[in-house]
Amino acid sequence: EVQLVESGGGLVKPGESLRLSCAASGFTFSNAWMSWVRQAPGKGLEWVGRIKRKTDGGATDYSAPVKGRFTISRDDSKNTLYLQMNSLKIEDTAVYYCATWDLVKPLDYWGQGTLVTVSS
Amino acid sequence: QSVLTQPPSASGTPGQRVTISCSGSSSNIGNNYVYWYQQLPGTAPKLLIYRINQRPSGVPDRFSGSKSGTSASLAISGLRSEDEADYYCSAWDDSLSGVVFGGGTKLTVL
C-alpha cells in the first residue's frame, strides 16, 4: 500500500526558512517522480513543483510564486522527498501535500499534508 | 484567480446527474490531458479522472469526464450523499511549464 507521510510543518516568521519532509513507502521511491501541492486555508489547490527520478536526470520544475525560494530534493536511500522553503512569505501559509507523479496519472497518491503558517 | 475556471458551487438531489465545467485555454486544456480530483471534507485530494475520461481502479463508473476544445466537464450520475465534496480540474500548462488547477467546485447533495 502506498503511503506518504509529510512532516516538518509549523509556525515561522516572514523571511524565515523551513524544510518539509515526505516519507514514502509501498512503492519503489527511486523510480518515482514526485510533486508538492499546497492549499491555503479555505482555498483551492496550487501546484508547487515536481522532481523527476534520477534516471530521468532528477530535474525539478517550480511554479512561478515559489521559483527561486523553494527547492525540491530527494534522498532515494531514505525514500524521502524534501521541500526546502526559504524567504517565506505570509502568502505561503498553507497545507503542503506531497504526491506521486505518474506520467499517466499525475498526482495519483497524496499524503495527509502538513500545515505551514507564516506569521509575525 | 485560477488559470482554469470552474463554477464555485453545484448542487443536486440524490439520484440526479450533475455536471461541473472547467474552462481553460489552448496552452492547457486545449493541448493537454485533463484531470479531476475529489476532496472530501478534511481529507487530502484523490485522483478521480485522468487523461480526460479514465477512472483509476475503485472509482465508480458514475463519474465520467469529457473534453471539447478548451473546456472540460465532470459528470456525476446517480448522485449520492457521499459525493458531497470539492472537485478540482487540472491540466499541464505549456506556457507556464507547470500544473494549473481550477478554483474548485463545492458540490452539495440536497
Side-chain angles (χ1 to χ4, degrees), chain B residues 17-22 34-37 48-56 59-67 72-78 83 87-89:
Chain B
R17 181 178 188 271
V18 296
T19 61
I20 297 172
S21 62
C22 176
V34 179
Y35 304 84
W36 290 90
Y37 299 87
L48 195 65
I49 297 286
Y50 66 98
R51 291 199 165 183
I52 302 173
N53 56 14
Q54 303 299 301
R55 288 184 306 277
V59 174
D61 59 6
R62 300 186 296 105
F63 295 89
S64 62
S66 63
K67 171 182 144 175
S73 292
L74 172 71
I76 310 171
S77 60
D83 298 332
Y87 293 85
Y88 295 90
C89 59

Side-chain angles (χ1 to χ4, degrees), chain A residues 59-115:
Chain A
T60 51
D61 298 293
Y62 300 95
S63 64
V66 309
K67 197 168 187 177
R69 299 188 299 123
F70 289 13
T71 301
I72 298 173
S73 62
R74 62 192 301 158
D75 186 337
D76 291 344
S77 68
K78 296 182 178 178
N79 289 346
T80 301
L81 176 73
Y82 300 102
L83 179 64
Q84 177 67 43
M85 304 184 293
N86 298 332
S87 303
L88 281 161
K89 305 176 181 180
I90 290 175
E91 53 264 38
D92 294 320
T93 294
V95 173
Y96 285 74
Y97 297 99
C98 68
T100 57
W101 183 286
D102 181 271
L103 291 179
V104 175
K105 292 182 278 186
L107 308 177
D108 190 0
Y109 295 97
W110 297 63
Q112 85 290 349
T114 187
L115 176 63

Side-chain angles (χ1 to χ4, degrees), chain B residues 10 12-13 39 46 56 77 92 95 101 104 110:
Chain B
T13 56
Q39 187 174 31
K46 165 192 165 184
S77 60
W92 183 264
S95 297
F101 285 97
L110 302 169

Side-chain angles (χ1 to χ4, degrees), chain B residues 21-45:
Chain B
S21 62
C22 176
S23 177
S25 68
S26 59
S27 66
N28 41 66
I29 292 177
N31 278 326
N32 293 294
Y33 289 118
V34 179
Y35 304 84
W36 290 90
Y37 299 87
Q38 177 194 58
Q39 187 174 31
L40 297 170
T43 69

